[in-house]
């Protein structure tokens, strides 16, 4: 089984590379494929003839999506449909990632895969539209909604992740204000990558929710980062209204893994245990990196 991994240089992509069979995996970065260009997509499929395509790319700067609607839908919706069409042409399975932002957060209990989506933002709407186009185009697909991703691939990248942002701000001695009225499940990309590789082998196609287990507010997540790191920080809670981000976020984004449960595969670690592991692995990775 040949796997074509699109977005291999990102947080999730780099963790997928660690668990996918190296001999059968073709890692592609933006330099190798431009998913918004049909010719680039066709060339990649003709060259590699994949059996499975994993797409980890997205335009996910949620606030920027509000003012860059055309680009958002080009990447998150229409390009995804193009990948699904190419997979259909070449007989490949598509694995594509979506988001908790497809929900409004009004339910106040964990969302299951059959709950009706109602996105509040351009980003969430574009991702939901991408889901619909994949499902309408290709029967053999895995659509995976997840939440609050962080991974080692972001620990030294320009984009970073929430954990790295918190640690950087603490090192600068700044007062850090984090919203305490949005409930999420922070998810370590290493855990997600492992579950995705397991799921692919089942051939049980369809829509899945996959996150770490448990939940917290963003403020509680930030506090856990500092506590587990032994870092002193001037951390203060705030509200979504006071924070004033351009894009509306769901106030409750917890996803229940109902379909994983039905397969007997819902053994994802609790979020704070994974955070502890991430911080330990991060420290090891930094210690092993030579300094000039």
């Amino acid at each position: 089984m040949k796997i074509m991994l699109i977005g291999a240089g990102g947080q999730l992509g780099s963790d997928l590379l660690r668990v996918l069979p190296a001999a059968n995996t073709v890692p592609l970065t933006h330099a190798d494929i431009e998913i918004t260009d049909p010719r680039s997509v066709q060339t990649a499929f003709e060259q590699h003839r994949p059996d499975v395509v994993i797409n980890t790319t997205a335009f996910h700067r949620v606030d920027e999506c509000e003012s860059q609607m055309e680009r958002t839908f080009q990447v998150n919706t229409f390009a995804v449909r193009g990948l699904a069409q190419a997979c259909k042409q070449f007989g490949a399975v598509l694995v594509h990632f979506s988001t908790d932002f497809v929900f409004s957060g009004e339910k106040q209990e964990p969302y299951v895969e059959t709950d009706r989506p109602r996105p509040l933002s351009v980003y969430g709407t574009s991702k939901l539209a991408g889901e619909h186009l994949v499902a309408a185009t290709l029967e053999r697909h895995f659509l995976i909604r997840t939440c609050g991703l962080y991974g080692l691939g972001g620990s030294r990248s320009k984009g970073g992740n929430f954990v790295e942002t918190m640690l950087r701000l603490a090192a600068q001695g700044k007062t850090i204000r984090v919203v305490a009225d949005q409930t999420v499940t922070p998810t370590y990309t290493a855990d997600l990558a492992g579950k995705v590789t397991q799921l692919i082998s089942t051939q049980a196609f369809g829509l899945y929710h996959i996150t770490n287990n448990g939940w917290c507010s963003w403020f509680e997540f930030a506090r856990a980062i500092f506590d587990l790191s032994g870092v002193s920080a001037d951390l203060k809670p705030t509200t979504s209204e006071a924070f004033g981000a351009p894009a509306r976020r769901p106030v409750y984004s917890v996803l229940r893994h109902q379909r994983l449960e039905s397969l007997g595969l819902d053994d994802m670690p609790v979020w704070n245990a994974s955070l502890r592991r991430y911080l330990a692995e991060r420290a090891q990775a930094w210690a092993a990196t030579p300094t000039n």
Side-chain angles (χ1 to χ4, degrees):
M1 179 175 68
K2 180 182 275 191
I3 301 170
M4 189 166 77
L5 174 61
I6 304 175
Q11 290 189 119
L12 178 55
S14 60
D15 276 330
L16 281 163
L17 271 182
R18 293 186 180 97
V19 294
L20 292 171
N24 298 326
T25 301
V26 179
L28 301 181
T29 66
H30 189 261
D32 303 308
I33 184 172
E34 171 52 69
I35 65 166
T36 62
D37 181 354
R39 291 172 297 180
S40 178
V41 171
Q42 186 73 15
T43 297
F45 273 78
E46 289 177 352
Q47 179 180 354
H48 301 296
R49 301 281 169 170
D51 301 299
V52 176
V53 175
I54 304 178
N55 177 42
T56 69
T57 63
F59 183 39
H60 50 68
R61 297 175 184 170
V62 178
D63 292 322
E64 291 182 26
C65 289
E66 293 295 306
S67 59
Q68 299 184 45
M69 188 179 300
E70 183 175 345
R71 180 185 177 192
T72 301
F73 277 86
Q74 184 182 33
V75 176
N76 296 345
T77 307
F78 304 122
V80 174
R81 179 174 183 261
L83 289 175
Q85 290 173 323
C87 284
K88 185 174 183 179
Q89 177 187 350
F90 286 85
V93 173
L94 177 61
V95 182
H96 177 65
F97 294 88
S98 191
T99 174
D100 57 294
F101 277 54
V102 301
F103 294 114
S104 67
E106 296 173 344
K107 187 181 178 184
Q108 291 298 308
E109 62 182 60
Y111 283 94
V112 298
E113 289 87 347
T114 53
D115 282 328
R116 183 178 179 181
R118 192 173 75 81
L120 303 176
S121 64
V122 170
Y123 171 69
T125 303
S126 71
K127 294 296 285 184
L128 180 60
E131 288 184 17
H132 286 319
L133 289 177
V134 169
T137 304
L138 183 67
E139 182 177 351
R140 298 199 307 151
H141 67 264
F142 293 98
L143 286 167
I144 298 170
R145 292 177 183 151
T146 189
C147 175
L149 295 185
Y150 64 93
L152 290 175
S155 66
R156 289 200 169 186
S157 71
K158 184 178 179 181
N161 58 45
F162 183 82
V163 181
E164 300 305 321
T165 298
M166 292 298 103
L167 293 174
R168 184 181 68 252
L169 292 176
Q172 294 170 354
K174 295 182 177 180
T175 297
I176 306 169
R177 299 188 184 277
V178 179
V179 293
D181 58 357
Q182 294 175 20
T183 301
V184 296
T185 300
T187 301
Y188 185 15
T189 51
D191 294 333
L192 177 58
K195 185 56 62 179
V196 168
T197 59
Q198 189 179 13
L199 185 61
I200 290 172
S201 66
T202 68
Q203 299 287 298
F205 303 117
L207 174 64
Y208 290 83
H209 290 172
I210 308 180
T211 63
N212 280 123
N213 273 304
W215 56 83
C216 60
S217 69
W218 285 110
F219 175 78
E220 291 168 330
F221 185 30
R223 187 169 59 191
I225 292 166
F226 299 134
D227 288 346
L228 292 173
S229 302
V231 170
S232 178
D234 183 16
L235 176 66
K236 299 184 183 303
T238 188
T239 65
S240 301
E241 182 178 3
F243 197 80
R248 290 179 63 196
R249 270 81 166 165
V251 297
Y252 187 86
S253 289
V254 182
L255 304 178
R256 179 180 166 186
H257 314 150
Q258 191 172 70
R259 290 212 63 200
L260 285 183
E261 292 170 11
S262 71
L263 297 176
L265 297 177
D266 186 23
D267 56 355
M268 293 288 285
V270 177
W271 70 268
N272 48 4
S274 291
L275 174 60
R276 184 186 298 274
R277 196 172 83 254
Y278 168 81
L279 291 169
E281 293 171 356
R282 171 187 183 271
Q284 291 177 352
W286 280 58
T289 302
T291 57
N292 296 321

